[in-house]
Amino acid sequence: MDALTAIALLVARYGVQELVGALTGRQEFGSLASELFGALAASESRLTDRLADVERRLAGVEQRLDEVLEQPYQHGLNAGLRKLLTVGVTTDPHLRAAELNGARERFEEAAAAARSPLQTAVAERYVMVCALGLGHHAAARAAWGQLNASLTVSAIDLGEAVRWSYKTARRRLAERGDDRGVKYAGQGDFRGRRYEKRAIAEDQRVRADAAEAGGMIGRLLDEAAALGMALGEPLAPKITCDIRRGRTLLTFPPGSAGPAYRWIDEGWFETRWLVEPTVPGPVRFGSLVVDWTRFKLQANTLVDAPHLQPLSDHDGLTVNIKEKVTVQADPPIPRTVPITQPGRSRAWQVAGKGPFAIPVARHEIPAGARSAEVSDVVAVASDEHGRLLLPGAIRVGPVTFMRYSAT
């Protein structure tokens, strides 16, 4: 069992209350406790190497392993994981509590020595496990908050790494001394074409590395959601990650020849996280929480909504919806996060080219802020009877949150 998915898998198999019982040492869950702590500790050496490799890829530079992970972080993580192995097999409650306390201290030391948000997230995950096992719910919730904040920052930073993947690829080639012909790039010279071919291949490797890093962040988000259920949080949403080519929307004035709008594929890529809720209520992604406090049809429902952004892959009818959405950062994160709404944009005039429309970030959560409120009219795809084909969505940074729909 993978150490980074053990908790989520065991919650799905046995249930969250059973997991809490195993963490707190209830005798009837002794076998589950052994399975849980054994799975967490069995990969102690591989986990450090995997994390270092992912960190190197996120950084986008060719660093040595010991340059990515400092010794205090590595030693703290490994020492804490080794103590968890003892916790899983002992029946002595005093020894169990002592080992859990010792493990928590080691993981806290690792969190303090972490050099990146992703390293912090891994350490805080284990701090929370130990706090739950000791019955310290306030400490567990504090660690859960730090885990969520670190994962949110990691997801945002991953998006930046993907967007600038070609620049990262060029830097990697230069670091390896494989940038011959770089000064001829874009000039049609055969030396420049050879360099461009190498740069494109390296760019693809950068995005493949980013996709693997995104998978690790996604698994940790699943773990955070499973641990949150032990604190009374609702059932986790479905979270998926996709790296795709960026697109720009061109719109044309009414009555002009050809289509009303057209999507243009750009030369850059973007990371898209999609969060689909499984239960009604607020939707969480790490520390970002979105809640639709009002979502209703406008009086004039069946319109083409020409003043709103055309909807991708939908040429049919649209419905105007009045949304009021609250976006929270719980806990706050040290990043400013833009908020955009699919179906709503401003049109910019480009000289000689007619209207030029892109989704505009009309709102944001400033770095360190706790919430923002969005209230606007958006266009939502509908059928000929005015029934919504999509439940509604809002994008916060690289994360698209879907509104809960029972259909």
Side-chain angles (χ1 to χ4, degrees), residues 306-385:
H307 61 291
L308 299 177
Q309 175 192 331
L311 300 171
S312 176
D313 303 322
H314 178 71
D315 296 320
L317 297 170
T318 58
V319 170
N320 281 357
I321 299 293
K322 177 69 172 181
E323 284 188 335
K324 185 176 181 182
V325 188
T326 300
V327 182
Q328 293 181 306
D330 178 31
I333 58 174
R335 299 286 189 277
T336 295
V337 187
I339 303 172
T340 56
Q341 294 169 284
R344 175 67 171 91
S345 75
R346 296 172 180 170
W348 293 349
Q349 187 71 29
V350 178
K353 296 185 179 180
F356 176 76
I358 60 173
V360 175
R362 305 178 65 247
H363 306 274
E364 65 180 24
I365 300 182
R370 291 188 173 273
S371 67
E373 191 173 274
V374 178
S375 182
D376 215 334
V377 176
V378 297
V380 179
S382 73
D383 61 17
E384 66 274 14
H385 303 293

Side-chain angles (χ1 to χ4, degrees), residues 102-321:
R104 185 183 65 174
E105 290 174 358
R106 301 291 85 74
F107 292 135
E108 288 174 344
E109 291 171 1
R115 296 177 60 185
S116 75
L118 189 55
Q119 291 177 2
T120 301
V122 171
E124 292 290 355
R125 169 182 181 261
Y126 290 120
V127 171
M128 183 182 179
V129 167
C130 295
L132 285 173
L134 292 165
H136 299 165
H137 279 230
R141 183 164 285 279
W144 187 66
Q146 292 304 309
L147 167 59
N148 278 320
S150 299
L151 289 175
T152 305
V153 172
S154 293
I156 293 172
D157 290 349
L158 176 66
E160 289 299 305
V162 169
R163 185 176 180 86
W164 303 108
S165 60
Y166 189 73
K167 181 178 180 181
T168 299
R170 290 167 60 97
R171 185 170 67 245
R172 286 188 180 184
L173 291 177
E175 289 172 351
R176 295 202 299 261
D178 195 18
D179 56 349
R180 300 177 306 278
V182 60
K183 64 181 180 180
Y184 301 104
Q187 298 180 13
D189 186 276
F190 74 95
R191 291 165 294 187
R193 291 196 298 270
R194 287 179 179 177
Y195 171 79
E196 290 164 2
K197 185 176 180 179
R198 293 196 301 275
I200 291 172
E202 188 66 28
D203 181 31
Q204 292 173 342
R205 283 190 286 271
V206 170
R207 283 184 275 112
D209 292 345
E212 185 172 339
M216 186 176 186
I217 294 171
R219 290 193 293 276
L220 283 168
L221 284 165
D222 289 339
E223 292 285 274
L227 288 168
M229 292 169 61
L231 299 175
E233 295 293 323
L235 190 65
K238 178 184 177 183
I239 298 176
T240 54
C241 181
D242 180 33
I243 295 177
R244 65 180 69 174
R245 186 176 291 277
R247 306 175 79 194
T248 295
L249 180 68
L250 290 175
T251 63
F252 303 93
S256 60
Y261 64 93
R262 181 161 54 97
W263 289 95
I264 306 296
D265 286 339
E266 297 287 1
W268 48 269
F269 289 81
E270 61 182 353
T271 303
R272 287 289 186 97
W273 295 88
L274 179 64
V275 185
E276 301 173 270
T278 52
V279 293
V283 190
R284 177 181 285 274
F285 175 96
S287 64
L288 298 175
V289 184
V290 171
D291 188 14
W292 275 263
T293 54
R294 187 171 68 244
F295 188 89
K296 65 179 182 179
L297 299 178
Q298 294 294 90
N300 183 19
T301 59
L302 221 55
V303 296
D304 291 329
H307 61 291
L308 299 177
Q309 175 192 331
L311 300 171
S312 176
D313 303 322
H314 178 71
D315 296 320
L317 297 170
T318 58
V319 170
N320 281 357
I321 299 293

